[in-house]
């Protein structure tokens, strides 16, 4: 497989029409792959509810292929522990448990829950894995095609709180029968990190783990340079921008990707835990971070927080938001993310803490 063919599968989001704002040089810092290196790719389906692409640039074909198989196993292992779609996962067992019963958890699940609890504080409650009861209410509303009542929402909201879940030395205890968690906004990132650790330990020259458009890459790309990642247009099919990244994770969330339709209106699968309603203002949020778990968490958090969340990002984490709808949208990014975008930059791009946009964003063109 060539580098060019692989790139078509790399990406998380998409966007359209563009004018040049400024030139940004792209440094090639990674070690070039020797011409003898093999570009190995492995595709898998049915992992974390989506498909994945695993790539290794390896000097030794056999050990590279073995590393890819083990990386896939690492992803499936995380899914088996944390998916709410699997009845025997640790999270499903915790969700079914009665109040006061301690549920034993693996170190991995405990680590993700700990990170999620910290993220709830850091995002001022916007990222909250305990909001599963609210997500269930909206999912059921989608199935019956009728908005939930205020009473239903109030009842669910009362069950959503970290006050109802205590993390112990060996697991977790719920303090309310109705408390439930959903790691759908963070476990994929954690799994990607676990798979990258497997690849990196195999001493490959570079690698990429892409699960449904969320990805992390490291080392050299198939052409010996930095990895090229597409941000998709949330309103169309084409690319909004391309990023050049070295060792980094890129995750995208947004209301364009998954939603329920009720009474002719689309509602995002991402819940604003503070209002109890689906988050609506952010069409897509793309986050670049050293780790996929961090990028995954903040892409979901920014889908709730919009611009305000850019000021809450941890050091070393950058983001690009597409706000609004197809006929009235804005694109905002951090300075760090702007420096990763290949020319041409999206028209009207507003850089937070940077210069004013050269052009105003206009309506997005179809398929442009
Ligand atoms: P993502 O696609 O990474 O943004 O994750 C979305 C998933 O995270 C949803 O399908 C829910 O399972 C879960 N989720 C929804 N809203 C939130 C929230 N506010 N905080 C944390 N997880 C959420
Ligand atoms: Mg997420």
């Amino acid at each position: 497989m060539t580098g060019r063919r692989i790139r078509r599968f790399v990406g998380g989001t998409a966007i359209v029409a563009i004018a040049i704002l400024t030139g940004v040089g792209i440094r090639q810092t990674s070690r070039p792959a020797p011409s003898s290196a093999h570009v190995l790719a492995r595709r898998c389906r049915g992992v974390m509810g989506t498909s994945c692409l695993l790539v290794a640039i390896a000097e030794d074909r056999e050990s590279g292929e073995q590393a890819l198989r083990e990386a896939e196993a690492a992803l499936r292992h995380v899914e088996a522990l944390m998916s709410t779609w699997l009845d025997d996962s640790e999270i499903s067992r915790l969700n079914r448990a009665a109040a006061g019963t301690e549920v034993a958890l693996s170190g991995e699940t405990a680590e993700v829950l700990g990170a999620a609890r910290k993220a709830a504080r850091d995002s001022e409650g916007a990222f909250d894995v305990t909001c599963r009861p609210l997500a269930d209410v909206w999912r059921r509303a989608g199935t019956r095609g009728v908005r939930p009542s205020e009473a239903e929402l109030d009842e669910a909201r009362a069950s959503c709180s970290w006050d109802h879940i205590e993390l112990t030395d060996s697991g977790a205890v719920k303090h309310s029968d109705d408390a439930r968690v959903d790691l759908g906004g963070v476990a994929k990132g954690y799994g990607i990190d676990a798979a990258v650790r497997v690849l990196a330990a195999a001493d490959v020259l570079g690698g990429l783990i892409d699960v449904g458009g969320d990805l992390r890459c490291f080392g050299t790309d198939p052409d010996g340079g930095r990895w090229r990642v597409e941000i998709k247009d949330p309103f169309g099919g084409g690319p909004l921008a391309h990023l050049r990244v070295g060792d980094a994770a890129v995750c995208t969330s947004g209301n364009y990707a998954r939603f329920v339709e009720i009474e002719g209106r689309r509602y995002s699968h991402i819940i604003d835990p503070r209002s109890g309603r689906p988050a609506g203002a952010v069409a897509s949020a793309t986050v670049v971070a050293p780790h996929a778990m961090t990028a995954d968490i903040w892409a979901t958090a920014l889908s709730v927080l919009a611009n305000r969340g850019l000021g809450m990002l941890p050091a070393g984490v950058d983001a690009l938001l597409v706000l609004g709808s197809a006929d009235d949208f804005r694109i905002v990014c951090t300075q760090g993310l702007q420096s990763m975008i290949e020319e041409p930059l999206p028209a009207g791009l507003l850089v937070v803490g940077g210069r004013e946009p050269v052009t105003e964003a206009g309506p997005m063109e179809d398929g442009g």
Side-chain angles (χ1 to χ4, degrees), residues 214-287:
D214 287 344
L215 62 93
R216 181 171 159 191
C217 50
F218 66 95
T220 178
D221 88 339
D223 295 334
R226 290 183 158 223
W227 294 87
R228 186 169 189 249
V229 179
E230 178 183 303
I231 299 180
K232 287 186 189 148
D233 173 358
F235 309 121
L240 174 74
H242 289 97
L243 306 180
R244 283 285 181 178
V245 293
D247 296 1
V250 185
C251 293
T252 299
S253 292
N255 62 23
Y256 77 99
R258 276 162 50 211
F259 50 83
V260 294
E261 208 161 302
I262 306 173
E263 293 156 13
R265 224 187 115 180
R266 286 180 172 189
Y267 292 92
S268 172
H269 67 300
I270 296 170
I271 303 291
D272 182 339
R274 301 156 311 172
S275 69
R277 284 164 172 73
V282 181
S284 75
T286 298
V287 175

Side-chain angles (χ1 to χ4, degrees), residues 126-129 131 182 184-185 253 258 269-271 273 296 300 304:
F127 185 86
D128 188 349
V129 301
C131 70
D182 185 336
S253 292
R258 276 162 50 211
H269 67 300
I270 296 170
I271 303 291
D296 195 3
T300 308
V304 173

